[in-house]
Amino acid sequence: MSTADLSRDPFGLPSPWRGSNYTRVLTSEVFWRQIANSAGIAIATTALTVGVSAMAAFAFARYAFRGREMFFTLFAMGLMFPFAVAVLPLFVLLRAFGLLDNPLGVVLPQVAFGLPMTIIILRGFFRTIPGELEEAATMDGCGRFGFFWRILLPMARPALGTVAVLATVTSWNNFFLPLLVLSQPRWQTIPVGVQQFQGQYSTDYALVLAYIVLAMVPALAFYAVAERQLISGLTAGATKG
């Protein structure tokens, strides 16, 4: 629809159908740059979150050491720590390290805030792996890291897939942190881009809605592909026997 058609009949079908709004967005270099920025940040966030959480969850689940439950509780308490409370100290810290207008300034905080939930999910799954399996691997000459890398991680694919999907979707939809850290247009992500585009074309409702629809497509496509993995991973390890 054109903006005039949308104002006249917002719930009706387009008459005639117009693809010019979508064409303008798809031929925009800014739109594709924002998509690439969001994808790059999401991939880096997911890789670091899953990698660090898997190693931490392995230690919490498979080994007994002094202070284990206390450290795990500290990680779990991160779920009760709202991001808004950390805005000012986080901004000061990122400025001190020179990470403003740097994608790492978004990736590292997202990883930190994603660790609690990821560790809790992976720890619960790792604890369902029989200890006899690790003993057999040790007798065959497999060290701790070898057991973790060659045996445990392949067995934990459903849980790893689940936390990877959650980390990716959370990073893709994050608006406040990129808005706070990335002020240069070349680093803007797609949620920030939608807000900027809406402000720039506030009177052209049809064009703004076309931009929003196209911005939603990658996330919806990813979730449609990963939905089965997400559900299977959440239920993996819930029962024994």
Side-chain angles (χ1 to χ4, degrees):
M1 287 186 177
S2 65
T3 299
D5 295 337
L6 189 63
S7 301
R8 184 173 55 255
D9 187 11
F11 299 104
L13 292 175
S15 180
W17 291 77
R18 295 181 177 89
S20 57
N21 290 326
Y22 290 97
T23 304
R24 288 180 60 183
V25 176
L26 290 174
T27 56
S28 171
E29 180 183 352
V30 175
F31 174 78
W32 291 109
R33 183 173 67 243
Q34 292 168 355
I35 291 289
N37 290 339
S38 290
I41 290 174
I43 291 172
T45 299
T46 302
L48 286 175
T49 302
V50 175
V52 174
S53 298
M55 291 186 286
F58 175 64
F60 286 135
R62 311 297 299 186
Y63 299 103
F65 54 89
R66 181 177 298 177
R68 182 184 69 171
E69 295 304 319
M70 181 188 69
F71 285 116
F72 179 74
T73 302
L74 288 176
F75 275 106
M77 288 175 61
L79 294 174
M80 300 181 291
F81 190 78
F83 173 75
V85 176
V87 169
L88 181 58
L90 179 61
F91 181 84
V92 174
L93 186 64
L94 293 175
R95 184 177 60 184
F97 282 98
L99 292 177
L100 296 180
D101 286 323
N102 188 326
L104 283 177
V106 178
V107 171
L108 296 180
Q110 287 186 158
V111 172
F113 281 94
L115 287 178
M117 177 62 71
T118 309
I119 290 175
I120 290 173
I121 293 176
L122 292 181
R123 187 203 190 206
F125 186 87
F126 289 166
R127 295 183 72 173
T128 63
I129 305 298
E132 293 80 2
L133 189 63
E134 185 174 358
E135 294 175 1
T138 302
M139 293 179 63
D140 289 338
C142 187
R144 292 182 176 180
F145 184 77
F147 171 75
F148 170 75
W149 182 257
R150 299 178 182 177
I151 300 175
L152 191 64
L153 287 185
M155 294 182 65
R157 285 179 181 175
L160 293 175
T162 297
V163 295
V165 171
L166 293 176
T168 302
V169 173
T170 302
S171 174
W172 185 273
N173 292 331
N174 197 343
F175 169 76
F176 192 43
L177 186 59
L179 180 66
L180 176 71
V181 177
L182 306 174
S183 61
Q184 296 185 12
R186 64 179 181 139
W187 293 121
Q188 286 179 347
T189 58
I190 194 65
V192 179
V194 169
Q195 187 265 344
Q196 297 288 342
F197 192 85
Q198 184 177 2
Q200 184 178 359
Y201 297 95
S202 57
T203 59
D204 195 346
Y205 304 115
L207 183 60
V208 171
L209 290 175
Y211 196 97
I212 293 174
V213 169
L214 291 176
M216 293 170 55
V217 168
L220 292 175
F222 175 77
Y223 185 80
V225 172
E227 179 184 8
R228 180 173 298 180
Q229 180 66 50
L230 177 64
I231 295 174
S232 64
L234 289 174
T235 57
T239 59
K240 291 185 178 180

